[in-house]
Amino acid sequence: GAWFVPGVYVCGWLKRGPKGIIGDNLVCATETVVSLVQDDEKGKLRRPDYRFRNKGILPSLLSKGVEVVDVEGWHKIDLLERQRGAAVGKPREKIVAKREMLQVARGE
C-alpha cells in the first residue's frame, strides 16, 4: 500500500518500488515536483525546525563509519564518467566499483 507522509517528497524506486527504467524516473520526478509546487502554492510547506539541526541522517551515517559523498565529490565522479565516455563515443562510462568511485570522490 501507499504511504503518505506530510512534508516528505520522494521519487524513483523509493516512490514506486524497484521497477521501471531510467525514463520512468523523469516522469516520476516531474510528478513529485508538481506536488511540491502545488503544496507550496497552498501554503502547506513547513518551515525548517532548527531544533533538529545535526540530528538527521548525516550524523547517524558518519557515526557508523559510512563514507558519504558530498556534492563536490559527486562532481568529480560525474566529470570522470563523462571524460571516459567521450573517449569511447558515449555520453558517459559509469564507474561501477564502489572503491574506485569513493577514491574519485576524494580526489585520489
Side-chain angles (χ1 to χ4, degrees):
W3 293 10
F4 295 97
V5 180
V8 175
Y9 301 87
V10 298
C11 64
W13 283 15
L14 189 59
K15 182 175 178 180
R16 65 176 190 279
K19 59 184 180 226
I21 59 174
I22 292 172
D24 295 331
N25 289 330
L26 180 59
V27 173
C28 185
T30 300
E31 292 171 352
T32 300
V33 170
V34 167
S35 294
L36 181 64
V37 169
Q38 287 173 343
D39 285 355
D40 183 40
E41 289 171 348
K42 295 175 187 173
K44 291 184 173 182
L45 297 185
R46 296 180 287 171
R47 298 288 175 236
D49 187 337
Y50 294 104
R51 294 176 299 164
F52 297 103
R53 180 173 289 189
N54 297 323
K55 294 182 182 173
I57 189 71
L58 183 59
S60 177
L61 291 172
L62 295 175
S63 74
K64 291 175 172 59
V66 174
E67 187 167 354
V68 176
V69 175
D70 61 12
V71 173
E72 183 180 326
W74 178 83
H75 282 294
K76 291 174 184 174
I77 294 167
D78 182 56
L79 176 63
L80 183 60
E81 288 180 345
R82 289 173 185 269
Q83 289 171 339
R84 288 181 177 178
V88 293
K90 296 169 35 179
R92 74 173 53 242
E93 185 71 25
K94 295 295 291 178
I95 300 170
V96 295
K98 178 182 172 184
R99 178 178 296 212
E100 180 185 8
M101 191 177 299
L102 291 173
Q103 288 173 328
V104 170
R106 290 190 299 261
E108 296 175 3

